[in-house]
Each structure stands twice: as structure tokens, then as C-alpha cells.
Amino acid sequence: MDRFLVQGGRPLEGRVTISGAKNAALPAMAAALLTSERMVLHNVPRVRDIGTMRSLLDELGVDSSVTHDEVGNTLEIQAVRLLNSQAPYELVKQMRASILVLGPLLARFAEARVSLPGGCAIGARPVNLHLKGLEKLGATIDLEHGYIHARASRLKGAAFYFDTVSVTGTENLMMAAVLAEGETLLENAAREPEVEDLATLLVKMGARIEGMGTDCLRIHGVGALHGAEHRIIPDRIETGTFLTAAGVTGGRLILEHVEPAHVTAVMAKLEAAGVRIVPSGDHELIATGPQNLRAADVTTQEYPGFPTDMQAQYMALATQAQGSSVITETIFENRYLHALELVRMGADIQVEGRQAVVRGRTALSGAPVQASDLRASASLVLAALAASGETLIDRVYHIDRGYERIEEKLVKIGARIRRVLDD
Ligand code: UD1
């Protein structure tokens, strides 16, 4: 397994190009199943999860090809017909977002078999809402041998209320509803920019959706969708991670290809901690870390609140802030595995249930640590950059799932980090 070797203690300075959003590209790729025509997606990040989704499409018998652009990749996908309609366990266990093919497969091909994702490192993560919603649209769903088996000759529009706001749940139901007969109303829908980006793409394909970007989506089903060309939005979590990197190392970074409107909550919190962030043009942000960071409390929430996917990175910064920061995680029940690793580097963190109290500032010192999930790995990289001495981060395959060549981007801005390959 690859590891990162990091020599910390240097402020980062320079320009970083932010990649396209993995969490917007994945549903966009699944949406290609909704039409027999060609789909062209630009600004697709070069990360492992995208490769997993391509393998899944390949498994279904769908052709995709990739071309490298100056920034990101262009993917062409055409789902003329299917060889089979099964998303196998081997792929779903690598990436839970594989569940995103369920809605489109059912809507266009009347049947889908998708492995149940099971638990994951950050909590139980059920898919009950995806299934309940599809049942509401008239699907018959059976759980057999670890698989979801969904069938429906033609889905029928219906009203569905999400008890809990779910990002991929909203995306799955939206993709199912665009080809359903009649009108579907999705209430308490997720408002994340990635959901809105998918809606924008679906409308380009001929879907009729009202309320895009709000928590109430009204979808008028159509008989068929056509191909479309679309540019994936910038990754707001990668943006937030590099803003935090500037803050925690006391450096100055210029981030290019960003969407500032998508990182308002993260910027507000980093500014409260003392990081100076100013826009430069429409799609650039300049972040300058202060001499002394201040503690600021954070509660994760659905968009437009502070994203759970930035909680771990923020915690690394909080260890370097003066005073106590109370971090409250409201989205996932077990998302503090990185805290224990940060403590091994010298942080003072008390976790109790969904709350973590970080007392700062404590000097961090390099240590061997282990990444437990995608965002936890980013947190450890940030801590390692702020620490004195050498940190060896194990299991960085997690970070490769969602960050495009992070070590190369970091080296360009002065970090001393290198990938240690397995013998
Ligand atoms: C997506 C993101 C992930 C992010 C998360 C929350 C993708 C590919 N992944 O994950 O990076 O951390 O949103 O912003 O976009 N829940 C249920 N029943 C369901 C579905 C969800 O109870 O059927 C619960 C979950 O356990 C969790 C909460 O709802 O507590 C939010 O999860 P959800 O928004 O569904 O996360 P994902 O879409 O899996």
C-alpha cells in the first residue's frame, strides 16, 4: 500500500489549480445511463472513484472513453444498450456511490440489481431512503443475497418526503423521476451544489425540473432524454482543503478554477479562525494564513452549512488555533477516527459522542499515522504539513479516491511530501 512521507513545518506558497468535483462527476456519469445518445463530460477529476464508476459502466456494457485536457479529463459515454443490469459487490464495496446507477437503470431499463453497500468507516450509512423513494415511484424492491433487486415496467410520478436530507438519495430519485410518467415532488431534498449540477445536466438532456437548488424539486417526467455536453463544477471540498492548508501552515495560496459561492460556510469559519481570504476575479481565491490562528466552533450541516466532508481538515487546523474549538458532527455518527491519529501527533482532542473538543495550540510532531477514510487522510496530510519532523501516512489509497494527485499539487507550492511506493 502506498504511503506519504511528509516533512512538515513550511508555509505553503503559490498557485493551485482546483479540479472538478468528484461528487458531481459521479452522478453525471450515472446519468449517461438515461439516454442512448452520447454524453460528453468535461473537467472530470483524475481520481480513483471515477475509474471505479467507469469500471461499473463497463460491467454494464456501456462504452466510455477519456481524453486528457490541460485541466481534468473529458469523458465520453454512450449507453446504447446494456449487457446486464447488475452492479456487483466487488465494485460497490470499493465505492458506495455505485448506488447512483440504481435510479437510472430502473428508469430506462425497467430492472436493476445493485449490491447493498453495507457499513463503512464513518457510520452505518443506510440506503433506506433511496429504496423507499423508488417504491413510492412504483418500483418493486426485493433484497436478496446481499443485492437490491428493483423492477418497474414504467415508474410513476409521486410525492416523496426525505426524513433525512440525503445527497445521493436525492440524485437517485431525481434520475428515476425524469423518465417516470407524470409529476414527482421531492421534498426536503438535498441542496448541495453537486445535486444542482446534476439537475442542470438533466435539463440539458431534455428533463423538466423546477426548483433546482432548492429543497423542493418538481419533476415532470418525459418519454426519453437525449445526449448532452457538460462541464463539471469545481470541487468545493478540495477548495476548502487547500484554503485550510494555507491557514494551517501560515502560507499564502492562490486557488484557481474555484466557485467561491460554494464555499461560503467554509470561508466564514476559516476567516473566524483568522485566515484572510479574498477573491481575485470570478474564479480565484487568495488565502493567507495568520501568525496566530484563533479557535472557532464548527457544526457540520447540510448545504449551505459547513460540510461534513471538511470536518476532519478543519480539526487539523483547530489543533493549531489558540483556545478551545468545539466541533459537532451532525451528519455521520462515527466520523472522528482521524482525531485519534491527530492525538498521536500531539493534539489535545476529547471526543464524546458527536462532539470533539480541540484544545490549542499544541505543537504537532511527526509520527507514523494511518488514514481511515478519504477526508481523514486529507486531515492527516494537513497536520503533517504543520508538524515538526517527519510523518509517514499509511493507507493513502483513501486520498487517491477523491483528491487528484494531491502530493504533486502540494510539491508545487513548496511542501516536502513524497509518495513511498510498496516494494
Ligand atoms: C454524499 C457525499 C459524501 C458526503 C455526504 C454528506 C457523494 C458521492 N458523497 O454521501 O461525500 O459526506 O453526501 O454530505 O456525493 N441516510 C439515511 N438513509 C438513506 C441515505 C442517507 O439515513 O437512505 C443518512 C446517512 O446515514 C447520513 C445522512 O443521511 O447520516 C446523509 O447522508 P447522504 O447525504 O445520503 O450521504 P451520501 O449521499 O452517501
mmCIF file of all heavy atoms in Angstrom, residues 245-261:
data_model
loop_
_atom_site.group_PDB
_atom_site.id
_atom_site.type_symbol
_atom_site.label_atom_id
_atom_site.label_comp_id
_atom_site.label_asym_id
_atom_site.label_seq_id
_atom_site.Cartn_x
_atom_site.Cartn_y
_atom_site.Cartn_z
ATOM 1 N N ALA A 245 -5.104 24.507 4.107
ATOM 2 C CA ALA A 245 -3.648 24.287 4.040
ATOM 3 C C ALA A 245 -2.905 25.622 4.174
ATOM 4 O O ALA A 245 -1.878 25.710 4.855
ATOM 5 C CB ALA A 245 -3.280 23.594 2.734
ATOM 6 N N ALA A 246 -3.450 26.660 3.518
ATOM 7 C CA ALA A 246 -2.823 27.984 3.645
ATOM 8 C C ALA A 246 -2.890 28.427 5.101
ATOM 9 O O ALA A 246 -1.911 28.917 5.674
ATOM 10 C CB ALA A 246 -3.526 28.998 2.748
ATOM 11 N N GLY A 247 -4.050 28.222 5.726
ATOM 12 C CA GLY A 247 -4.257 28.651 7.116
ATOM 13 C C GLY A 247 -3.365 27.917 8.088
ATOM 14 O O GLY A 247 -2.691 28.532 8.926
ATOM 15 N N VAL A 248 -3.303 26.615 7.984
ATOM 16 C CA VAL A 248 -2.605 25.813 9.000
ATOM 17 C C VAL A 248 -1.086 25.935 8.880
ATOM 18 O O VAL A 248 -0.359 25.759 9.862
ATOM 19 C CB VAL A 248 -3.089 24.336 8.958
ATOM 20 C CG1 VAL A 248 -2.480 23.563 7.807
ATOM 21 C CG2 VAL A 248 -2.824 23.644 10.277
ATOM 22 N N THR A 249 -0.595 26.271 7.667
ATOM 23 C CA THR A 249 0.869 26.398 7.525
ATOM 24 C C THR A 249 1.319 27.854 7.593
ATOM 25 O O THR A 249 2.506 28.140 7.478
ATOM 26 C CB THR A 249 1.374 25.804 6.181
ATOM 27 O OG1 THR A 249 0.838 26.586 5.088
ATOM 28 C CG2 THR A 249 0.978 24.344 6.014
ATOM 29 N N GLY A 250 0.360 28.782 7.729
ATOM 30 C CA GLY A 250 0.716 30.199 7.745
ATOM 31 C C GLY A 250 1.265 30.658 6.399
ATOM 32 O O GLY A 250 2.119 31.537 6.317
ATOM 33 N N GLY A 251 0.754 30.062 5.323
ATOM 34 C CA GLY A 251 1.250 30.388 3.978
ATOM 35 C C GLY A 251 0.308 31.300 3.213
ATOM 36 O O GLY A 251 -0.587 31.933 3.795
ATOM 37 N N ARG A 252 0.532 31.367 1.900
ATOM 38 C CA ARG A 252 -0.324 32.193 1.037
ATOM 39 C C ARG A 252 -0.536 31.433 -0.265
ATOM 40 O O ARG A 252 0.414 31.172 -1.009
ATOM 41 C CB ARG A 252 0.359 33.539 0.759
ATOM 42 C CG ARG A 252 -0.502 34.481 -0.070
ATOM 43 C CD ARG A 252 0.184 35.828 -0.206
ATOM 44 N NE ARG A 252 -0.637 36.771 -0.959
ATOM 45 C CZ ARG A 252 -0.649 36.851 -2.290
ATOM 46 N NH1 ARG A 252 0.108 36.045 -3.021
ATOM 47 N NH2 ARG A 252 -1.416 37.745 -2.890
ATOM 48 N N LEU A 253 -1.796 31.086 -0.526
ATOM 49 C CA LEU A 253 -2.101 30.291 -1.717
ATOM 50 C C LEU A 253 -3.117 31.001 -2.597
ATOM 51 O O LEU A 253 -4.062 31.623 -2.098
ATOM 52 C CB LEU A 253 -2.678 28.919 -1.316
ATOM 53 C CG LEU A 253 -1.734 27.973 -0.572
ATOM 54 C CD1 LEU A 253 -2.461 26.676 -0.218
ATOM 55 C CD2 LEU A 253 -0.491 27.668 -1.416
ATOM 56 N N ILE A 254 -2.907 30.888 -3.897
ATOM 57 C CA ILE A 254 -3.892 31.393 -4.858
ATOM 58 C C ILE A 254 -4.551 30.160 -5.482
ATOM 59 O O ILE A 254 -3.877 29.338 -6.112
ATOM 60 C CB ILE A 254 -3.208 32.237 -5.950
ATOM 61 C CG1 ILE A 254 -2.430 33.380 -5.289
ATOM 62 C CG2 ILE A 254 -4.235 32.768 -6.949
ATOM 63 C CD1 ILE A 254 -1.499 34.109 -6.226
ATOM 64 N N LEU A 255 -5.842 30.033 -5.261
ATOM 65 C CA LEU A 255 -6.560 28.873 -5.803
ATOM 66 C C LEU A 255 -7.274 29.276 -7.082
ATOM 67 O O LEU A 255 -8.055 30.236 -7.083
ATOM 68 C CB LEU A 255 -7.575 28.336 -4.793
ATOM 69 C CG LEU A 255 -7.086 28.084 -3.369
ATOM 70 C CD1 LEU A 255 -8.134 27.331 -2.567
ATOM 71 C CD2 LEU A 255 -5.787 27.283 -3.387
ATOM 72 N N GLU A 256 -7.002 28.540 -8.150
ATOM 73 C CA GLU A 256 -7.607 28.836 -9.459
ATOM 74 C C GLU A 256 -8.713 27.843 -9.760
ATOM 75 O O GLU A 256 -8.685 26.712 -9.272
ATOM 76 C CB GLU A 256 -6.555 28.683 -10.568
ATOM 77 C CG GLU A 256 -5.337 29.530 -10.391
ATOM 78 C CD GLU A 256 -4.263 29.160 -11.414
ATOM 79 O OE1 GLU A 256 -4.291 28.033 -11.938
ATOM 80 O OE2 GLU A 256 -3.414 30.010 -11.669
ATOM 81 N N HIS A 257 -9.626 28.253 -10.625
ATOM 82 C CA HIS A 257 -10.749 27.395 -11.064
ATOM 83 C C HIS A 257 -11.642 27.017 -9.893
ATOM 84 O O HIS A 257 -11.980 25.851 -9.721
ATOM 85 C CB HIS A 257 -10.246 26.112 -11.746
ATOM 86 C CG HIS A 257 -9.575 26.333 -13.054
ATOM 87 N ND1 HIS A 257 -10.269 26.452 -14.236
ATOM 88 C CD2 HIS A 257 -8.281 26.479 -13.370
ATOM 89 C CE1 HIS A 257 -9.408 26.655 -15.211
ATOM 90 N NE2 HIS A 257 -8.205 26.677 -14.717
ATOM 91 N N VAL A 258 -11.994 27.978 -9.056
ATOM 92 C CA VAL A 258 -12.874 27.674 -7.918
ATOM 93 C C VAL A 258 -14.242 28.321 -8.133
ATOM 94 O O VAL A 258 -14.413 29.184 -8.995
ATOM 95 C CB VAL A 258 -12.285 28.183 -6.581
ATOM 96 C CG1 VAL A 258 -10.950 27.541 -6.296
ATOM 97 C CG2 VAL A 258 -12.151 29.702 -6.577
ATOM 98 N N GLU A 259 -15.213 27.907 -7.339
ATOM 99 C CA GLU A 259 -16.518 28.561 -7.320
ATOM 100 C C GLU A 259 -16.718 29.087 -5.896
ATOM 101 O O GLU A 259 -17.169 28.348 -5.000
ATOM 102 C CB GLU A 259 -17.624 27.566 -7.712
ATOM 103 C CG GLU A 259 -19.022 28.140 -7.705
ATOM 104 C CD GLU A 259 -19.098 29.514 -8.388
ATOM 105 O OE1 GLU A 259 -19.166 29.536 -9.625
ATOM 106 O OE2 GLU A 259 -19.082 30.533 -7.676
ATOM 107 N N PRO A 260 -16.369 30.362 -5.650
ATOM 108 C CA PRO A 260 -16.424 30.891 -4.269
ATOM 109 C C PRO A 260 -17.802 30.748 -3.628
ATOM 110 O O PRO A 260 -17.899 30.499 -2.417
ATOM 111 C CB PRO A 260 -16.045 32.371 -4.440
ATOM 112 C CG PRO A 260 -15.241 32.411 -5.696
ATOM 113 C CD PRO A 260 -15.831 31.361 -6.597
ATOM 114 N N ALA A 261 -18.883 30.850 -4.411
ATOM 115 C CA ALA A 261 -20.230 30.771 -3.830
ATOM 116 C C ALA A 261 -20.497 29.421 -3.159
ATOM 117 O O ALA A 261 -21.367 29.309 -2.300
ATOM 118 C CB ALA A 261 -21.273 31.022 -4.916
#
